[in-house]
């Protein structure tokens, strides 16, 4: 049950607004730290890397809000598991609109950071000025620049505290004076609060500035340095600024490029500056190497200490194990010793074995005792009257009974019918072997091979015949025989045996006595610990009380000494703890200082390396731009030539078409004129003129054709003789080759026949 406590606060200052905190009784519930898609919508939600952005996206997609419960109408009111009331379906509707980008916003920041680094390394690089959005401090974003101050006592006040409202006095307005002009009730004022270290505050406020046209302030060269990236400036930034000033001063002293007479001087100055920069870089590299060497030494030292600590732990663990094993072994030896002493004491009470009573439990638990296997020499005969248990049957002991028993039995007992087993069908209707039969056959073959290999006896290697040793059988020892001539010798023999028993018993007694003398102290200890007499008990009790009193005095003295030692140790520990605390803090401070210096050196070296890489990339970019310009020029030239040739083709085609049309018109006109003349001549022509025209046509068409045919026949006759000569030469050679091949084939057949005849003769002889 919650209670409300009211606390009176002093009147707050004008800068601190009134705060009231109240917790409703019984209010409970789970509040989410953020919303599922804050990483996409909220500009103040920042993830550290692209991996975290992907993880947030996956978590947003896997939330249960996209699961929809769809009721089943048939089982809507069911409470059974196998008839659920609803089904879960994954909603395909994406809550994020399509125009919202799901990509990580840190790529732009990385690109901007790379441009900042480039601007820091290369002073000639002018970074584009960023246009910031109007912060609107006095408007809608006013809440971002104000926050209640962090007061320590707020943490001690519980959440269910309600601050009492402060009593404000009514303000009395002064009378309006005519001497002063009236003051406006509203006006815009830029405010600068004292509480700017809030969670929403990122960079300090930077006012806008205007640069004159012909002036370049030195402060603008540091525009790339921002809060957290070079600001507040440290030793490395100060050294960088000093080097940049020296470089600008040196660049101002360089001769102008337009003066050709100063080229040599400019080259010498640039070489000297380059050597100076290389020397500075070598110094930085040497410092960085020294720092790395120190760090490496510290790491090696720390590794050795860790290894020594691990080795000591292992040694302590091993020593503890050995100590435990030693104590366990000692305890086992002590236990064995006590058990052996007790057994010896028990045996000492009954040396001859006459006082021992019968142990019925032991007799019945031992199957070799007299209960289960009695001896006949003790008067027990278990086979007596065994005939009483023999079964006497008329049908089994007499012939007539056997015949009667046989006649009473059925026929299938005396005349058994044996049916031969049917062979197992291992083939199908189509005649193929079944898979099971094939598998059984293969298993049988494998089993047979395994048995053959298992039962196979390796033949021993035969030794050489001449080096083989012949075994000589050992002669059999003669069987000892005991010959007793008379009863006197037998009595003497028994007496000797009894004397041997006495001597052996005396030897055992002597050994027992010697053992008792050797272990007299242990026997005394046992007697003291197991004293049975009353006087001995009283003496032991008095000694025990004296010993306990001495122990109490010694414990009291040790307690006093330990208290004094504890106080001294506490004082020493306090002094040592303060001293070690100071030394450890000093060590941490030195390590942090060295680490910061090492980081600064690494950053400077990385800046130099990036500057060199950027200069190389700039040269490659310039070369690529020149190549692209040349390619563009060549492409434009090709396009111009293409257009020129295209226009020339169009003009030439136009001229040809125009000339063709004009020629066609002129030819048609000339043909009309010729037709007119021909028609006029045709009308005036006589019979004789017509015959002359026919004769000229025959002479100009038929006679040249006949002449052509005659010339062709003449050429054909001239070529025929050459063709015949070529045919004779070719066919003559081919006929000679055919004849030659035919003769060679006949010779080969004759040789093969002659080779076959001797073989046939030899075969005939063999057969005969």
């Amino acid at each position: 049950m919650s209670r409300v406590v009211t606390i009176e606060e002093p009147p707050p200052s004008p800068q601190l607004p009134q705060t009231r905190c109240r917790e409703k009784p019984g209010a409970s519930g789970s509040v989410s730290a953020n919303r599922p898609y804050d990483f996409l919508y909220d500009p103040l939600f920042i993830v550290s890397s692209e991996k975290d952005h992907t993880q947030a996206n996956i978590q947003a997609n896997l939330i249960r809000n996209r699961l929809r419960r769809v009721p089943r109408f048939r089982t809507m009111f069911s409470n059974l598991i196998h008839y659920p009331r609803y089904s879960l379906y994954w909603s395909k509707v994406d809550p994020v609109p399509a125009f919202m980008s799901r990509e990580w916003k840190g790529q732009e920041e990385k690109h901007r950071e790379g441009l900042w680094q480039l601007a820091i390394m290369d002073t000639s690089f002018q970074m584009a000025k960023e246009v910031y959005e109007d912060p609107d401090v006095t408007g809608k974003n006013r809440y971002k620049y104000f926050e209640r101050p962090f007061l320590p006592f707020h943490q001690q006040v519980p959440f269910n505290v309600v601050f009492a409202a402060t009593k404000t006095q009514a303000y009395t307005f002064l009378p309006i004076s005519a001497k002063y002009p009236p003051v406006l009730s509203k006006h815009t004022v830029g405010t600068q609060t004292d509480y700017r270290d809030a969670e929403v505050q990122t960079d300090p406020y930077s006012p806008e500035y205007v640069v004159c046209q012909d002036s370049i302030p030195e402060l603008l060269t540091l525009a790339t340095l921002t809060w957290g990236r070079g600001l507040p400036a440290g030793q490395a930034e100060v050294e960088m600024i000093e080097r940049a000033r020296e470089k600008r001063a040196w660049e101002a002293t360089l001769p102008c490029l337009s003066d050709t007479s100063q080229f040599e001087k400019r080259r010498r100055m640039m070489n000297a500056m380059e050597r100076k920069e290389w020397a500075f870089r070598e110094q930085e590299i040497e410092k960085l190497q020294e720092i790395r060497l120190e760090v490496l030494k510290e790491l090696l030292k720390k590794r050795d200490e860790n290894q020594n600590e691990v080795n000591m732990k292992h040694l302590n663990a091993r020593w503890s194990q050995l100590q435990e094993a030693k104590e366990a072994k000692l305890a086992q030896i002590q236990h064995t010793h006590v058990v052996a002493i007790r057994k010896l004491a028990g045996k000492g009470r009954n040396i001859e074995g006459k006082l021992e009573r019968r142990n019925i439990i032991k007799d019945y638990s031992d199957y070799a005792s007299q209960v289960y296997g009695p001896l006949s020499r003790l008067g027990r005969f278990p086979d007596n009257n065994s005939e009483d248990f023999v079964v006497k049957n008329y049908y089994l002991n007499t012939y007539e009974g056997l015949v009667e028993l046989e006649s009473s039995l059925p026929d299938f007992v005396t005349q058994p019918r044996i049916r031969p087993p049917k062979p197992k069908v291992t083939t199908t209707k189509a005649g193929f072997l079944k898979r099971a039969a094939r598998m059984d056959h293969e298993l049988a073959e494998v089993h047979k091979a395994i048995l053959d290999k298992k039962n196979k006896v390796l033949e021993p290697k035969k030794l050489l015949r001449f080096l083989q040793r012949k075994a000589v059988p050992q002669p059999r020892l003669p069987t000892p025989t005991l010959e007793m001539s008379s009863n006197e010798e037998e009595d003497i023999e028994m007496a000797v045996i009894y004397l041997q028993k006495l001597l052996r018993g005396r030897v055992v007694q002597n050994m027992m006595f010697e053992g008792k003398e050797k272990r007299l102290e242990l026997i005394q200890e046992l007697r003291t610990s197991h004293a049975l007499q009353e006087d001995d008990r009283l003496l032991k009790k008095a000694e025990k009380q004296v010993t306990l009193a001495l122990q109490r005095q010694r414990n009291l003295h040790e307690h006093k000494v330990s208290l004094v030692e504890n106080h001294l140790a506490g004082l020493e520990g306090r002094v040592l703890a303060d001293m070690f605390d100071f030394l450890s803090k000093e060590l941490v401070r030195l390590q942090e200082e060295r680490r910061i210096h090492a980081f600064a050196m690494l950053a400077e070296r990385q800046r130099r390396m990036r500057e060199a890489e950027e200069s190389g990339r700039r040269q490659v970019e310039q070369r690529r731009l020149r190549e692209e310009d040349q390619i563009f020029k060549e492409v434009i030239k090709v396009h111009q030539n293409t257009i020129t040739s295209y226009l020339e083709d169009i003009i030439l085609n136009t001229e040809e078409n125009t000339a063709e049309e004009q020629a066609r018109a002129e030819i048609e006109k000339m043909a009309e004129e010729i037709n007119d003349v021909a028609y006029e001549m045709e009308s005036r022509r006589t019979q004789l003129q017509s015959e002359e025209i026919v004769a000229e046509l025959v002479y100009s068409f038929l006679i040249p054709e006949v002449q052509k045919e005659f010339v062709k026949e003449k050429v054909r006759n001239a070529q025929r003789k050459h063709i015949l000569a070529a045919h004779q030469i070719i066919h003559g050679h081919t006929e000679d080759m055919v004849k030659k091949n035919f003769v060679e084939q006949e010779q080969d057949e004759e040789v093969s026949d002659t080779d076959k005849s001797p073989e046939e003769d030899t075969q005939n002889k063999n057969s005969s």
Side-chain angles (χ1 to χ4, degrees):
M1 182 175 180
S2 61
R3 300 189 314 178
V4 179
V5 181
T6 305
I7 298 176
E8 294 288 341
E9 268 193 323
S13 61
Q15 294 181 353
L16 301 178
Q18 184 177 353
T19 304
R20 177 169 294 177
C21 302
R22 175 174 294 176
E23 182 181 354
K24 294 182 179 180
S28 63
S30 60
V31 179
S32 160
N34 51 13
R35 292 165 294 184
Y37 295 98
D38 276 350
F39 67 97
L40 297 178
Y41 294 107
D42 193 354
L44 303 179
F45 190 92
I46 299 172
V47 293
S48 60
S49 63
E50 189 173 2
K51 181 179 178 182
D52 296 339
H53 178 82
T54 306
Q55 187 175 3
N57 193 5
I58 292 171
Q59 291 178 358
N61 290 331
L62 294 179
I63 57 177
R64 296 177 59 87
N65 295 338
R66 296 185 66 178
L67 292 175
R68 298 290 180 264
R69 293 183 178 181
V70 179
R72 295 185 178 182
F73 295 101
R74 293 185 178 180
T75 59
M76 185 180 294
F77 302 100
S78 173
N79 291 326
L80 300 177
I81 298 175
H82 54 283
Y83 290 108
R85 290 177 290 176
Y86 57 86
S87 301
L88 294 176
Y89 291 92
W90 182 263
S91 177
K92 297 182 180 178
V93 179
D94 193 357
V96 180
F99 60 86
M100 286 295 299
S101 176
R102 288 179 178 268
E103 300 295 332
W104 183 44
K105 301 176 183 178
Q107 299 292 344
E108 299 178 0
E109 296 180 0
K110 282 189 176 180
H111 181 65
R112 193 180 299 110
E113 186 177 356
L115 293 178
W116 284 337
Q117 295 293 335
L118 178 60
I120 293 172
M121 291 187 292
D122 190 2
T123 56
S124 62
F125 178 73
Q126 296 295 332
M127 186 176 176
K129 185 177 179 181
E130 295 185 5
V131 179
Y132 294 98
E133 186 182 358
D134 185 12
D136 198 4
V137 177
T138 59
K140 63 179 181 180
N141 295 330
R142 185 182 180 88
Y143 70 94
K144 296 183 180 179
Y145 297 90
F146 287 91
E147 187 181 5
R148 182 174 177 82
F150 177 76
L151 301 178
F153 64 83
H154 278 190
Q155 296 180 354
Q156 301 175 3
V157 178
F159 289 105
N160 54 0
V161 172
V162 180
F163 294 102
T166 57
K167 298 179 181 179
T168 57
Q169 298 178 359
Y171 180 74
T172 58
F173 294 94
L174 297 175
I176 298 174
S177 177
K179 296 181 180 180
Y180 301 101
V183 181
L184 299 176
S185 61
K186 294 183 180 179
H187 57 275
T188 303
V189 178
T191 61
Q192 178 72 21
T193 63
D194 294 335
Y195 306 101
R196 297 180 57 85
D197 296 333
E199 296 177 357
V200 298
Q201 185 65 35
T202 55
D203 294 342
Y205 174 72
S206 299
E208 297 182 356
Y209 56 87
V210 179
V211 182
C212 297
Q213 186 176 1
D214 298 333
S215 64
I216 302 176
E218 185 181 5
L219 188 61
L220 289 182
T221 59
L222 306 177
T224 56
L225 300 178
T226 59
W227 186 264
R229 298 185 181 91
L231 292 179
Q235 183 179 1
E237 285 76 13
V238 173
E239 292 178 357
M240 181 189 69
I241 294 169
E242 293 295 332
R243 286 197 301 273
R245 287 178 178 175
E246 292 178 1
K247 192 171 183 179
R248 286 196 296 272
W250 173 77
E251 289 177 353
T253 58
L254 282 175
C256 185
L257 287 172
S258 60
D259 191 359
T260 58
S261 61
Q262 299 292 330
F263 278 168
E264 187 65 26
K265 182 179 178 182
R266 183 182 178 89
R267 186 178 62 80
R268 288 196 302 271
M269 291 177 68
M270 291 180 70
N271 290 337
M273 177 55 70
E274 188 175 1
R275 285 194 296 271
K276 185 177 179 181
E277 288 182 354
W278 278 111
F280 178 73
R281 290 181 183 178
E282 287 178 358
Q283 292 178 2
E284 288 183 345
I285 292 170
E286 289 177 357
K287 291 179 181 178
L288 184 61
Q289 289 178 351
E290 291 177 358
I291 292 171
R292 285 185 175 179
L293 185 60
E294 293 295 331
V295 172
L296 183 61
K297 287 181 180 178
E298 292 293 332
L299 291 176
L300 291 174
K301 185 178 179 181
K302 189 174 181 181
R303 188 188 69 179
D304 294 339
E305 291 176 357
N306 294 336
Q307 188 64 33
N308 293 333
E309 186 177 357
V310 171
N311 293 337
M312 288 301 296
K313 287 182 179 179
H314 290 173
L315 289 174
N316 292 334
R318 183 60 181 167
W319 183 79
S320 300
Q321 291 177 1
L322 293 176
Q323 286 293 114
E324 291 177 358
K326 178 183 175 183
E327 292 175 359
K329 194 170 183 179
L330 288 175
Q332 184 180 3
I333 292 171
Q334 187 71 19
H335 178 69
T336 308
H337 170 259
V338 172
V339 171
I341 291 298
R342 288 177 179 175
K343 288 182 179 180
L344 288 174
K347 290 181 180 180
R349 297 191 191 98
N350 187 15
I351 297 176
E352 298 180 357
K354 295 180 180 179
L355 303 177
E356 186 176 0
R357 295 181 180 180
R358 180 190 176 190
N359 192 352
I360 300 175
I361 297 174
K362 183 177 179 182
D363 292 343
Y364 278 91
S365 62
D366 186 9
Y367 292 100
S369 62
Q370 298 294 323
V371 176
Y372 295 99
L375 298 177
S376 299
R377 59 187 175 84
L378 297 178
R380 179 71 180 275
F381 300 97
D383 294 337
N384 287 344
N385 303 323
S386 60
E387 292 82 3
D388 298 339
F389 302 100
V390 176
V391 179
K392 297 178 180 180
N393 194 350
Y394 167 76
Y395 294 100
L396 298 177
N397 295 335
T398 60
Y399 177 74
E400 292 80 4
L402 287 174
V403 172
E404 187 178 355
L405 180 62
E406 185 178 356
S407 61
S408 63
L409 293 175
D411 295 338
F412 66 87
V413 177
T414 57
Q415 298 177 1
R417 300 180 182 89
I418 300 173
R419 295 180 181 179
K422 294 182 179 180
K424 190 176 180 181
V425 179
T426 59
T427 56
T428 60
K429 295 180 179 180
F432 295 100
L433 191 64
K434 291 184 179 180
R435 182 180 296 176
R438 186 167 60 252
M439 186 71 70
D440 294 340
H441 181 65
E442 292 177 357
L443 290 174
E445 289 182 353
V446 172
H447 181 65
K448 184 178 179 182
I450 292 172
L451 289 178
D452 293 342
K453 188 174 181 180
K454 184 177 180 180
N455 298 329
K456 186 177 180 181
V457 180
L458 297 176
E459 296 181 358
K461 294 182 179 180
K462 294 183 179 180
L463 301 175
L464 297 177
R465 185 177 62 179
F466 298 102
L467 295 178
Q468 192 171 5
R469 180 178 295 177
K470 293 182 179 180
V472 178
Q474 295 181 359
R476 186 176 179 181
L477 297 175
T479 303
T481 57
L482 181 61
E483 296 180 357
M484 294 293 178
S485 58
S486 61
N487 294 329
E488 295 179 358
E489 292 180 1
E490 185 177 357
D491 295 338
I492 293 170
E493 185 69 22
M494 294 299 294
V496 170
I497 293 171
Y498 184 71
L499 182 60
Q500 289 178 356
K501 287 182 179 181
L502 291 176
L503 293 175
R504 289 172 183 170
R506 189 61 180 172
V507 169
V508 172
Q509 288 180 359
N510 291 334
M511 291 173 63
M512 290 291 296
F513 183 76
E514 290 177 0
K516 186 188 75 171
E517 292 295 332
K518 289 180 180 179
R519 296 167 178 79
L520 188 61
E521 295 179 358
L522 294 175
I523 294 170
Q524 293 292 336
E525 182 180 355
L526 289 173
R527 287 180 178 177
T528 53
S529 59
H530 299 84
L532 299 177
Q533 296 180 2
E534 189 66 25
D535 297 336
D536 294 338
R537 288 182 181 180
L538 294 175
L539 290 175
K540 294 298 179 183
K541 189 174 182 179
E543 291 177 359
K544 182 178 179 181
Q545 291 178 357
V546 172
T547 304
L548 291 175
L550 293 174
Q551 286 181 355
R552 282 195 294 271
Q553 292 179 2
R554 186 180 63 183
N555 292 336
L556 183 62
H557 179 68
E558 289 179 355
H559 181 65
K560 292 180 181 179
V561 173
S562 63
L563 288 176
V564 175
E565 290 179 353
N566 288 336
H567 286 294
L568 292 176
L571 294 174
E572 293 176 358
R574 247 184 248 106
V575 175
L576 290 174
D578 295 339
M579 183 176 65
F580 288 152
D581 185 29
F582 173 75
L583 292 176
S584 63
K585 290 179 180 178
E586 190 69 19
L587 178 61
V588 170
R589 187 185 65 79
L590 292 175
Q591 289 178 353
E592 290 294 327
E593 185 178 355
R594 291 182 181 179
R595 188 169 63 85
I596 292 169
H597 185 64
F599 284 162
M601 298 300 293
L602 287 171
E604 185 65 22
R605 180 174 177 273
Q606 189 175 7
R607 186 184 70 80
R608 294 294 183 184
M609 292 174 64
R610 289 184 178 178
E611 183 178 1
E613 293 176 358
E614 186 62 29
S615 62
R617 285 197 294 269
R618 192 180 301 110
Q619 293 177 2
V620 173
E621 186 68 22
Q622 291 176 357
R623 190 183 304 110
R624 187 177 62 80
L625 290 175
R626 288 197 296 271
E627 292 177 356
E628 289 180 355
D629 292 340
Q630 186 65 26
I631 291 169
F632 180 74
K633 290 179 182 179
E634 294 294 334
V635 170
I636 295 299
K637 186 177 179 181
V638 170
H639 290 175
Q640 191 68 29
N641 293 335
T642 305
I643 293 169
T644 304
S645 62
Y646 176 68
L647 294 176
E648 288 178 356
D649 293 340
I650 291 173
I651 293 168
L652 290 175
N653 291 332
T654 306
E655 290 178 354
E656 289 178 359
N657 294 332
T658 306
E660 186 178 358
E661 290 177 358
Q662 291 178 0
R664 187 179 289 109
E666 290 178 359
I667 289 169
E668 289 177 355
K669 186 178 180 182
M670 190 179 294
E672 289 178 358
E673 292 177 357
I674 291 171
N675 287 334
D676 294 339
V677 173
Y679 291 152
E680 187 178 356
M681 289 177 65
E682 185 71 25
S683 62
R684 297 177 182 177
R685 188 177 58 193
T686 60
Q687 183 68 26
L688 184 60
Q689 290 177 351
S690 299
E691 291 178 359
E692 288 179 358
I693 290 170
V694 171
E696 288 179 358
L697 289 172
V698 170
Y699 182 77
S700 60
F701 284 101
L702 295 176
I703 294 174
E705 187 67 24
V706 173
Q707 287 180 355
K708 286 181 184 179
E709 293 294 332
F710 179 74
V711 171
K712 287 181 181 179
E713 186 67 23
K714 188 176 180 180
V715 171
R716 193 179 296 112
N717 293 332
Q719 290 179 353
R720 185 178 291 115
K721 58 183 178 181
H722 298 292
I723 292 170
L724 290 173
H727 285 178
Q728 289 176 1
I729 293 169
I730 293 169
H731 290 301
H733 285 289
T734 54
E735 288 177 358
D736 294 339
M737 291 297 293
V738 169
K739 290 179 181 179
K740 188 175 180 181
N741 291 334
F742 182 72
V743 171
E744 289 178 356
Q745 288 179 1
E746 288 181 351
Q747 291 177 359
D748 292 338
E749 290 177 357
E750 291 176 357
V751 171
S752 62
D753 292 338
T754 54
D755 292 338
K756 288 180 180 179
S757 59
E759 292 178 359
E760 291 177 356
D761 295 339
T762 54
Q763 289 179 0
N764 294 329
K765 289 179 182 180
N766 293 331
S767 62
S768 62

